[in-house]
């Protein structure tokens, strides 16, 4: 049976490719392909699950594709099918088919009709990869696909300011989760000294031995898993992004943020449960955080003024309860809870427009004034304070901005004070001298203390990407600094002793993506007099193909799994030793800021209200 598992990945992928070549105006063909692929998927999953149940529910493992096979590590894609996979696949196939059926009339004659259905199939591909994944590398591939799909669907109404702004905010939170997952993969490799599959966690003797030999590393690994799960499922303190994700179309909100994607954090907890349950105190941490998320979200949901906000926070509360169920070992109950909750929230979101219309009419014709209860002054003031805090979602969004993203922005703005001429000449000198010094030290021609030389060059790369992150004017100048950033990263790892063969994977993917982006930027600059990064330009309307290829180049430069740079980043992380803490932190921050910079440049150039006045514009207040 294991040889049939990759079919569940190939079906949505084939549908995605077919939809990509169909004309934008052919709505009938687009919906037919989507319905057919999702119907075939649902029937295939149903038949396979029935046969699996009849055969006694065996634990199925399939090592499908080896990406790279080296002496000290092996990167591969593998799949697992068990009761967790069966429930998530069945619920996902059923809900995806129903919601796309609903979307045909809901999005009829929308300018982004093709874009919506193609992105939904792309998301469903990533969802299936995560659900079937047998190791952290496979989870990360699906994680990246789901994150990009989420960004595209939240920014679906790309001529409006607020959806595009919220899409960038949501991607920034997702990118933080990506970096933490990369750190979890590195910590796992430090414990096992190989790329282990999740089924290895079932061997409790080996797991306990690993935890006893690496107590601090195993604790850090478990905390990374918890953070990744909390980010994906919008648990406290990452709850504020979920209501903002509702800016997209109602069907995408239903399939993403109430039924499928938001429950993937629980899937990660279930998959890694045999490991973290053996780490002392982790069970109690999950229960406490789940309880706090439930209480916090339940209070905020009551106060929310919009129906989508209410549904978002009630979903967060229920997912907190699911986390508690997983921690207590009630996995069957958690799976039943997930399936029923996903169906309920999808139904609530899909009928929310009708409920809003009914509520408005009912309030207009049958308005009844409610008299406030008489309460002691202290209690009344306390309730009013809780009300205001809940209305502002306890300022979690501002808290994340000032604590996480604010320092990066302020550092970038501080670096912007350095004169452009100084930066240009110094960068030209550094781009030539630093690789030469790195190679010379590697060959033994000069002597350097590698304990500080490699982190110093990585810190220089961080300074360059921070300045690019805050760039607001010069487009090609910002693109040039991105090249410097990647050159410094490669130079740092040349000093650190990475194999030139391993570095080639990163180099080829980055160079190909960089020149593709440079070509697309030159194409649009020849047609437009001035392109700035100070605001949203909205050039996607007049240059859709240029926008597409620039987006592909940005994905490649941030390490999305479409080029060899994805494998290269894994090899870079594998080259960091467990005593190089400073280098590790600097590299992770560089990957985080680089991803935000790429998405920021793409949105500033191609999304948002168009700079030309003869295009329809939506102001910030809309």
């Amino acid at each position: 049976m294991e040889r049939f598992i990759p079919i569940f990945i190939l079906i949505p992928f084939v549908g995605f490719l077919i939809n990509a070549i169909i004309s934008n105006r052919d709505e009938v063909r687009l919906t037919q392909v989507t319905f057919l692929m999702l119907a075939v998927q649902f029937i295939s999953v149903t038949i396979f699950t029935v046969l699996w149940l009849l055969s006694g529910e065996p634990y199925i493992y399939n090592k499908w594709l080896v990406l790279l096979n080296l002496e000290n590590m092996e990167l591969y894609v593998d799949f697992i099918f068990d009761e967790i996979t069966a429930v998530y696949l069945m619920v996902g196939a059923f809900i995806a088919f129903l919601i796309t059926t609903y979307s045909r009339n809901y999005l009829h004659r929308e300018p982004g009709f093709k874009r919506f259905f193609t992105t939904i199939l792309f998301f469903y591909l990533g969802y299936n990869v995560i659900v079937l994944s047998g190791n952290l590398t496979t989870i990360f591939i699906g994680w990246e696909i789901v994150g990009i799909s989420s960004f595209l669907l939240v920014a679906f109404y790309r001529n409006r300011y607020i959806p595009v702004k919220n899409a960038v905010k949501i991607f920034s939170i997702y990118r933080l989760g990506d970096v933490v997952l990369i750190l979890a993969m590195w910590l796992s490799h430090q414990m096992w000294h190989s790329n282990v599959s999740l089924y290895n966690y079932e061997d409790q003797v080996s797991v306990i031995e690993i935890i006893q030999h690496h107590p601090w590393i195993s604790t850090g690994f478990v905390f990374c898993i918890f953070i990744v799960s909390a980010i994906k499922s919008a648990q406290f303190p990452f709850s504020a992004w979920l209501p903002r994700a509702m800016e997209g179309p109602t069907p995408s909100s239903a399939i993403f943020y109430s039924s499928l994607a938001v429950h993937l954090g629980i899937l990660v907890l279930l998959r890694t449960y045999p490991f973290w349950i053996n780490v002392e105190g982790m069970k109690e941490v999950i229960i406490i955080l789940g309880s706090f998320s439930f209480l916090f979200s339940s209070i905020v949901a009551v106060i929310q003024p919009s129906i989508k906000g209410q549904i978002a926070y009630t979903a967060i509360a229920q997912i907190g309860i699911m986390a508690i169920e997983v921690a207590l070992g009630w996995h069957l109950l958690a799976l039943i809870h997930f399936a029923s909750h996903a169906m309920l929230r999808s139904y609530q979101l899909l009928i929310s427009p009708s409920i809003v219309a009914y509520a408005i009419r009912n309030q207009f014709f049958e308005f009844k004034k409610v008299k406030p209860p008489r309460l002691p002054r202290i209690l009344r003031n306390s309730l009013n304070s809780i009300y205001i805090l809940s209305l502002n979602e306890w300022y979690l969004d501002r808290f994340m901005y000032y604590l996480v993203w604010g320092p990066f922005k302020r550092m970038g703005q501080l670096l912007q004070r350095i004169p452009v001429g100084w930066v240009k000449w110094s960068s030209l000198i550094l781009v030539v001298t630093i690789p030469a010094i790195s190679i010379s030290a590697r060959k033994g021609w000069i002597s350097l203390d590698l304990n500080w030389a490699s982190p110093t060059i990585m810190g220089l790369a961080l300074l360059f990407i921070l300045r690019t992150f805050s760039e607001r004017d010069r487009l090609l100048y910002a693109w040039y600094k991105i090249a410097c950033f990647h050159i410094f990263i490669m130079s740092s790892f040349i000093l650190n002793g990475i194999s030139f063969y391993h570095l080639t994977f990163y180099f080829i993917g980055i160079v190909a993506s960089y020149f593709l982006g440079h070509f697309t930027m030159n194409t649009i600059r020849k047609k437009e007099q001035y392109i700035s990064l100070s605001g949203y330009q909205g050039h996607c309307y007049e240059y859709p193909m240029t926008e597409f290829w620039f987006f592909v180049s940005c994905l490649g430069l941030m390490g999305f799994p479409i080029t060899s740079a994805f494998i290269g980043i894994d090899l870079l992380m594998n080259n960091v030793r467990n005593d190089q803490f400073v280098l590790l932190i600097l590299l992770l921050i560089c990957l985080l800021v680089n991803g935000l910079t790429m998405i920021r440049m793409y949105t500033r150039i191609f999304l948002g209200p168009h700079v030309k006045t003869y295009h329809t514009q939506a102001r910030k207040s809309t």
Side-chain angles (χ1 to χ4, degrees):
M1 295 180 72
E2 63 274 6
R3 65 179 180 272
F4 295 108
I5 293 180
I7 293 176
F8 304 137
I9 304 295
L10 296 176
I11 290 174
F13 182 66
V14 171
F16 167 75
L17 294 179
I18 295 174
N19 268 2
I21 62 176
I22 297 176
S23 171
N24 292 338
R25 299 180 180 179
D26 196 349
E27 290 189 4
V28 175
R29 193 68 56 82
L30 287 166
T31 52
Q32 285 176 346
V33 170
T34 306
F35 296 163
L36 176 62
M37 290 301 171
L38 292 178
V40 170
Q41 176 83 352
F42 178 64
I43 294 171
S44 302
V45 170
T46 304
I47 294 174
F48 186 90
T49 304
V50 170
L51 294 176
W52 175 74
L53 290 172
L54 293 176
S55 61
E57 304 181 15
Y59 189 92
I60 301 176
Y61 175 77
N62 180 13
K63 190 175 182 179
W64 182 49
L65 178 64
V66 177
L67 300 175
L68 186 65
N69 194 355
L70 302 173
E71 292 182 1
N72 59 341
M73 71 174 299
E74 185 181 29
L75 291 178
Y76 54 89
V77 176
D78 57 352
F79 300 128
I80 290 174
F81 194 94
D82 56 6
E83 64 274 5
I84 301 172
T85 311
V87 173
Y88 270 84
L89 274 184
M90 284 292 296
V91 173
F94 181 68
I95 289 180
F97 179 74
L98 288 184
I99 290 179
T100 50
T101 305
Y102 171 91
S103 305
R104 176 178 180 178
N105 293 328
Y106 186 89
L107 293 167
H108 178 53
R109 293 188 179 276
E110 280 281 354
F113 189 90
K114 172 185 175 179
R115 181 160 39 90
F116 176 84
F117 279 89
T118 306
T119 308
I120 284 294
L121 283 173
F122 191 55
F123 154 73
Y124 188 57
L125 167 65
Y127 173 83
N128 283 350
V129 171
I130 295 175
V131 170
L132 291 164
S133 58
N135 63 11
L136 293 179
T137 302
T138 313
I139 288 179
F140 184 71
I141 294 173
W143 217 260
E144 292 275 81
I145 295 173
V146 170
I148 291 298
S149 304
S150 176
F151 166 78
L152 293 174
L153 287 174
V154 174
F156 178 80
Y157 299 110
R158 44 180 56 187
N159 65 324
R160 303 178 188 174
Y161 175 83
I162 297 298
V164 174
K165 188 74 174 176
N166 284 344
V168 175
K169 284 185 179 181
I170 291 159
F171 179 82
S172 65
I173 298 296
Y174 272 24
R175 186 62 181 174
L176 179 62
D178 295 342
V179 171
V180 175
L181 184 56
I182 292 174
L183 177 58
M185 293 162 60
W186 181 83
L187 291 170
S188 175
H189 192 272
Q190 296 302 311
M191 289 187 293
W192 299 87
H193 302 291
S194 63
N195 189 16
V196 300
S197 295
L198 295 176
Y199 78 85
N200 291 112
Y201 297 163
E202 301 294 334
D203 185 358
Q204 291 295 292
V205 176
S206 298
V207 167
I208 294 173
E209 184 179 352
I210 287 290
I211 293 173
Q212 290 175 347
H213 280 80
H214 307 279
W216 292 106
I217 295 178
S218 60
T219 302
F221 170 75
V222 170
F223 269 112
C224 287
I225 293 297
F226 289 174
I227 293 172
V228 168
S229 172
I231 289 175
K232 185 62 75 173
S233 293
Q235 295 295 284
F236 185 87
F238 308 101
S239 306
W241 71 261
L242 190 57
R244 283 151 186 79
M246 301 292 185
E247 289 288 349
T250 297
S252 67
S253 300
I255 195 173
F256 252 90
Y257 309 113
S258 64
S259 58
L260 299 186
V262 77
H263 290 95
L264 290 176
I266 300 300
L267 174 71
V268 173
L269 290 180
L270 287 167
R271 286 284 185 226
T272 56
Y273 175 84
F275 187 94
W276 59 258
I277 196 63
N278 292 295
V279 179
E280 186 178 357
M282 294 300 107
K283 174 182 176 180
E284 290 75 14
V285 170
I286 285 283
I287 293 174
I288 292 171
L289 292 179
S291 303
F292 193 83
S293 294
F294 168 73
L295 294 173
F296 161 78
S297 302
S298 299
I299 295 172
V300 176
V302 177
I303 311 299
Q304 286 298 295
S306 66
I307 190 169
K308 281 190 172 182
Q310 294 172 3
I311 294 174
Y313 276 103
T314 51
I316 295 171
Q318 292 299 313
I319 294 172
I321 297 176
M322 291 181 209
I324 297 173
E325 293 167 352
V326 173
L328 294 174
W330 303 341
H331 294 176
L332 180 59
L333 178 60
L335 292 174
I336 296 173
H337 194 171
F338 151 68
S340 56
H341 182 252
M343 301 291 182
L344 173 63
R345 299 305 175 202
S346 298
Y347 171 74
Q348 287 179 331
L349 268 173
L350 294 180
I351 66 170
S352 60
S354 302
I355 291 176
V356 171
Y358 171 78
I360 291 174
R361 289 195 300 269
N362 187 61
Q363 183 182 21
F364 182 77
F365 291 107
E366 300 182 16
F367 176 74
K368 295 180 181 179
K369 188 176 181 180
V370 179
K371 294 182 66 175
R374 293 183 179 181
L375 298 172
R377 185 172 181 176
I378 296 178
L379 181 59
R380 186 172 66 250
N381 291 341
S382 301
L383 292 176
N384 290 340
S385 299
I386 293 174
Y387 177 85
I388 296 299
L389 287 172
S390 299
L391 192 63
N392 290 280
E393 301 168 60
W394 291 75
Y395 299 99
L396 285 180
D397 191 35
R398 296 185 186 181
F399 172 77
M400 289 296 300
Y401 174 79
Y402 285 113
L403 187 64
V404 182
W405 316 123
F408 295 148
K409 190 173 182 179
R410 288 191 291 271
M411 290 177 63
Q413 291 171 347
L414 184 63
L415 292 171
Q416 287 295 332
R417 298 180 182 180
I418 303 175
V420 176
W422 292 10
V423 177
K424 283 184 178 179
W425 286 109
S426 61
S427 61
L428 284 174
I429 296 172
L430 292 172
V431 163
V432 175
T433 57
I434 286 183
I437 292 173
S438 299
I439 295 174
S440 300
R442 178 71 175 271
K443 295 292 185 180
W445 298 335
I446 60 175
S447 60
L448 287 176
D449 186 356
L450 301 184
N451 291 327
W452 65 264
S454 186
T456 300
I457 298 176
M458 187 63 68
L460 187 61
L462 177 59
L463 293 179
F464 267 78
I465 198 63
L466 283 172
R467 184 178 171 96
T468 310
F469 175 64
S470 58
E471 181 65 49
R472 291 191 173 271
D473 188 16
R474 297 165 291 271
L475 179 60
L476 285 181
Y477 176 56
W479 202 248
Y480 160 72
K481 286 186 291 186
I482 291 172
C484 297
F485 163 74
H486 288 289
I487 289 173
F488 295 149
I489 283 184
M490 288 186 282
S491 300
S492 175
F493 277 94
I494 289 174
L495 267 179
N496 207 49
I498 192 173
S499 166
F500 285 104
Y501 172 68
H502 293 180
L503 194 62
T504 303
F505 288 91
Y506 185 80
F507 176 78
I508 293 175
I510 294 299
V511 169
S513 302
Y514 182 83
F515 282 107
L516 175 62
H518 196 278
F519 174 77
T520 55
M521 279 198 301
N522 279 334
T523 300
I524 193 173
R525 285 181 72 252
K526 291 177 181 177
K527 299 176 182 178
E528 297 291 332
Q529 293 183 352
Y530 178 69
I531 300 176
S532 172
L533 294 173
S534 61
Y536 296 110
Q537 308 291 302
H539 288 299
C540 64
Y541 303 100
E542 296 181 348
Y543 312 108
M545 289 307 299
T546 305
E547 177 235 345
F548 170 76
W549 289 114
F550 185 78
F551 184 62
V552 170
S553 72
C554 290
L555 294 181
L557 287 170
M558 72 174 68
F560 190 76
I562 54 174
T563 68
S564 61
F566 170 75
I567 298 176
I569 290 176
D570 208 330
L571 294 174
L572 293 183
M573 292 295 299
N574 186 56
N575 184 253
V576 180
R577 300 186 301 274
N578 55 12
D579 60 340
Q580 295 180 309
F581 183 75
V582 176
L583 180 63
L584 174 67
I585 296 300
L586 289 173
L587 176 60
L588 292 174
I589 296 175
C590 284
L591 294 176
L592 173 62
V593 181
N594 178 52
L596 300 181
T597 303
M598 293 295 99
I599 286 298
R600 177 182 174 274
M601 291 184 69
Y602 165 71
T603 54
R604 291 290 176 116
I605 299 171
F606 290 103
L607 302 187
H610 203 287
V611 292
K612 298 179 180 177
T613 56
Y614 56 77
H615 287 280
T616 304
Q617 295 190 29
R619 301 298 179 184
K620 291 184 180 181
S621 59
T622 56

